[in-house]
Amino acid sequence: MSLLLASYHGLHVPDLRREHVKLRWLQPDWQRNTRVRELAKTCPCRVLGYTLFQAGGLVFIRRVNATDTVETERLRAATTQEMWDWLLTGRAV
Ligand SMILES: [Zn+2]
């Protein structure tokens, strides 16, 4: 793979590890979604996408696939960052 092609892609979620945790996903509360800031997102080449958002002092993850949009609870940055790391290393789904 050329360097150019490699840099074109963003973060990819790896295959899920055999031992993993299931995060709790909630229906989005669109009323609360004013003034959110995108902190990170997975590569848009995949149907399943995760985005890390900051909303005020809290941080949450949104998961979007072909049929569904769900979000985690809004939690302290350190807690959500750990969940984000788990997702991006196949340790959570
Ligand atoms: Zn990609």
Side-chain angles (χ1 to χ4, degrees), residues 1-52:
M1 184 186 286
S2 74
L3 197 60
L4 187 65
L5 194 57
S7 63
Y8 177 79
H9 278 272
L11 296 167
H12 285 173
V13 177
D15 288 339
L16 199 57
R17 295 190 194 183
R18 200 161 52 83
E19 290 186 13
H20 59 268
V21 298
K22 285 188 161 56
L23 302 181
R24 199 154 68 93
W25 297 99
L26 312 168
Q27 293 305 308
D29 183 355
W30 299 110
Q31 304 295 322
R32 290 183 69 188
N33 280 350
T34 54
R35 295 208 312 270
V36 297
R37 189 162 67 92
E38 188 180 301
L39 301 176
K41 71 186 304 178
T42 57
C43 189
C45 80
R46 297 289 168 88
V47 173
L48 176 65
Y50 294 99
T51 309
L52 184 66

